[in-house]
Amino acid sequence: MIPLDEVPDDWLVVSLDGIGAPVVGVEKIEEGEECLRALRALEKELGVKVDALISAEIGEANSMEPMLTAAEAGLPVVDGDGMGRAFPEMQMCSWPIYGHREAPGAMAEEKGSIVVIRDTPDDVWLDRISRSVVVAMGAAAGLATNPMRGQFVKHAAVPGTITQALNLGRAVLEAHATNADPVETVIRQENGKLLMTSKTADLERHLKGGFAVGHMALEGFGAFQGDKGRIDLQNEFLLFRRNGAVEVCVPDLIVVLDADTGLPIATEMLRYGQRIAVLCLPAHALLRSPEALAVVGPAAFGYPDITFTPMGGS
Amino acid sequence: MDPITTIARADMADVAQGGAFLGTGGGGAPHVGRLMAE
């Protein structure tokens, strides 16, 4: 792994991630070289070799994809990513937000199909075309995009997020080993805030256009007895409302944990009746700028009347 | 100082766990990728 500020300016860095519906990924296990084949296809399209890999998003499965492919290809992975969390669409990454074109891109799936997208009118179209392709590929594929120079990556990437994930994961696993409170550990480690402890009273979730979309209704317990909560989701959690009023929204991160174990619960693992702890963690400053909010703020997810107000921390 | 730091096999569980928190909600579980990377 190479620290972000140590990446040579002239290095060619490619953004890697898996694309598809998380719900499908539970049952359709990846073959393991999807991103490697996408990387090789992109190199063939460009006619050059790539120097390093970076994650489009540090959250969930895509925290692993660049490291898996880096190990397979013998390349370094950069300590940073394009979101500092996870978002559902490709243009919601700091590379296009700060001026880099995502195309060309290459996609590959486990059966051997490879699709190269040479160019698109804009980055939203790259996401649309990729979504159509990934549906044909069985809703899960590897994706290589954004051939970027190191000079750009150094100012556009959220820095240090692999190290952040490593330290957070280590702290939580240590909390489990020592019977410490894992929820409190996450809040302390990430300057987060506990929004609610609650029971999932209703859950509406379906697949739409390759995304898991819906909402969950929450009934507070403990210190939050009597509160009614609601979380809207599109793969990731978008909004948290308490008693009808929006308290937290994208790009700040809404985290749903099992209230007893402190382990995170992915969208596809949400169930009626679960006892959960809802936290929020602050987004990196790169995602709170006006140009970023135009792409990852509430209006970008269909909430034009909601204004982003940064969470204040604990 | 060599700027490239090695992520060891023993670190993968920590990174995967941390990634699960930072991506809670969507993005699929990191544990299959972790096992493959290991």
Side-chain angles (χ1 to χ4, degrees), chain A residues 58-122:
Chain A
I58 191 63
E60 288 283 13
N62 283 328
S63 62
M64 292 289 107
E65 291 295 344
M67 280 189 277
L68 170 58
T69 307
E72 292 166 337
L75 292 172
V77 64
V78 178
D79 189 6
D81 77 302
M83 298 182 182
R85 47 166 294 165
F87 279 121
E89 298 181 44
M90 292 160 53
Q91 76 276 7
M92 295 171 174
C93 182
S94 59
W95 328 134
I97 288 172
Y98 290 102
H100 199 279
R101 288 294 315 279
E102 294 211 281
M107 300 174 64
E109 41 86 294
E110 80 284 359
K111 296 181 286 296
S113 301
I114 294 172
V115 173
V116 174
I117 303 169
R118 183 163 294 147
D119 203 2
T120 56
D122 58 38

Side-chain angles (χ1 to χ4, degrees), chain A residues 103-184:
Chain A
M107 300 174 64
E109 41 86 294
E110 80 284 359
K111 296 181 286 296
S113 301
I114 294 172
V115 173
V116 174
I117 303 169
R118 183 163 294 147
D119 203 2
T120 56
D122 58 38
D123 296 315
V124 175
W125 271 103
L126 185 72
D127 187 81
R128 285 179 185 166
I129 293 169
S130 301
R131 295 283 162 198
S132 297
V133 172
V134 79
V135 169
M137 286 180 163
L143 176 69
T145 60
N146 287 274
M148 304 171 280
R149 288 297 165 194
Q151 186 179 29
F152 174 81
V153 175
K154 279 193 281 195
H155 78 78
V158 180
T161 50
I162 293 178
T163 298
Q164 178 188 2
L166 191 155
N167 289 335
L168 175 58
R170 186 165 292 169
V172 170
L173 292 174
E174 190 172 308
H176 280 148
T178 58
N179 291 323
D181 183 347
V183 175
E184 180 58 36

Side-chain angles (χ1 to χ4, degrees), chain A residues 22 44 58 74 83-84 102-103 105 144 175 185 193 231 259 273 288 297 300:
Chain A
K44 186 176 179 182
I58 191 63
M83 298 182 182
E102 294 211 281
T185 299
K193 180 179 178 182
I231 296 176
R288 289 176 163 187

Side-chain angles (χ1 to χ4, degrees), chain A:
Chain A
M1 180 176 72
I2 184 165
L4 185 61
D5 59 4
E6 300 281 357
V7 177
D9 285 351
D10 61 347
W11 269 22
L12 186 64
V13 181
V14 158
S15 180
L16 279 186
D17 59 336
I19 180 172
V23 176
V24 172
V26 173
E27 296 187 359
K28 181 187 173 187
I29 304 299
E30 65 179 304
E31 171 262 354
E33 293 192 353
E34 290 91 338
C35 279
L36 179 65
R37 285 196 290 277
L39 170 67
R40 295 306 186 212
L42 186 58
E43 287 182 326
K44 186 176 179 182
E45 169 69 14
L46 296 168
V48 295
K49 287 289 185 184
V50 166
D51 297 301
L53 308 175
I54 192 166
S55 179
E57 59 179 359
I58 191 63
E60 288 283 13
N62 283 328
S63 62
M64 292 289 107
E65 291 295 344
M67 280 189 277
L68 170 58
T69 307
E72 292 166 337
L75 292 172
V77 64
V78 178
D79 189 6
D81 77 302
M83 298 182 182
R85 47 166 294 165
F87 279 121
E89 298 181 44
M90 292 160 53
Q91 76 276 7
M92 295 171 174
C93 182
S94 59
W95 328 134
I97 288 172
Y98 290 102
H100 199 279
R101 288 294 315 279
E102 294 211 281
M107 300 174 64
E109 41 86 294
E110 80 284 359
K111 296 181 286 296
S113 301
I114 294 172
V115 173
V116 174
I117 303 169
R118 183 163 294 147
D119 203 2
T120 56
D122 58 38
D123 296 315
V124 175
W125 271 103
L126 185 72
D127 187 81
R128 285 179 185 166
I129 293 169
S130 301
R131 295 283 162 198
S132 297
V133 172
V134 79
V135 169
M137 286 180 163
L143 176 69
T145 60
N146 287 274
M148 304 171 280
R149 288 297 165 194
Q151 186 179 29
F152 174 81
V153 175
K154 279 193 281 195
H155 78 78
V158 180
T161 50
I162 293 178
T163 298
Q164 178 188 2
L166 191 155
N167 289 335
L168 175 58
R170 186 165 292 169
V172 170
L173 292 174
E174 190 172 308
H176 280 148
T178 58
N179 291 323
D181 183 347
V183 175
E184 180 58 36
T185 299
V186 176
I187 293 170
R188 187 176 60 250
Q189 184 89 11
E190 298 296 321
N191 193 30
K193 180 179 178 182
L194 177 63
L195 296 172
M196 184 184 272
T197 49
S198 62
K199 183 176 175 181
T200 303
D202 191 20
L203 173 64
E204 192 270 315
R205 177 189 53 203
H206 59 278
L207 282 177
K208 182 180 179 184
F211 298 112
V213 298
H215 68 271
M216 54 197 292
L218 311 175
E219 292 179 353
F221 66 76
F224 303 94
Q225 185 75 37
D227 281 358
K228 302 283 188 185
R230 172 180 162 129
I231 296 176
D232 291 6
L233 59 98
Q234 179 186 335
N235 281 15
E236 282 74 36
F237 302 120
L238 305 178
L239 296 178
F240 170 78
R241 293 182 176 91
R242 187 193 311 274
N243 301 325
V246 174
E247 277 194 19
V248 179
C249 67
V250 282
D252 283 344
L253 177 61
I254 298 166
V255 178
V256 173
L257 306 179
D258 182 295
D260 298 318
T261 67
L263 293 176
I265 304 174
T267 308
E268 65 271 20
M269 302 307 289
L270 295 170
R271 299 289 183 271
Y272 169 79
Q274 277 174 327
R275 290 163 51 88
I276 64 174
V278 184
L279 280 57
C280 61
L281 309 182
H284 189 272
L286 280 170
L287 297 175
R288 289 176 163 187
S289 68
E291 56 265 57
L293 289 176
V295 181
V296 298
F301 290 93
Y303 303 96
D305 299 330
I306 295 174
T307 301
F308 171 69
T309 303
M311 59 156 288
S314 56

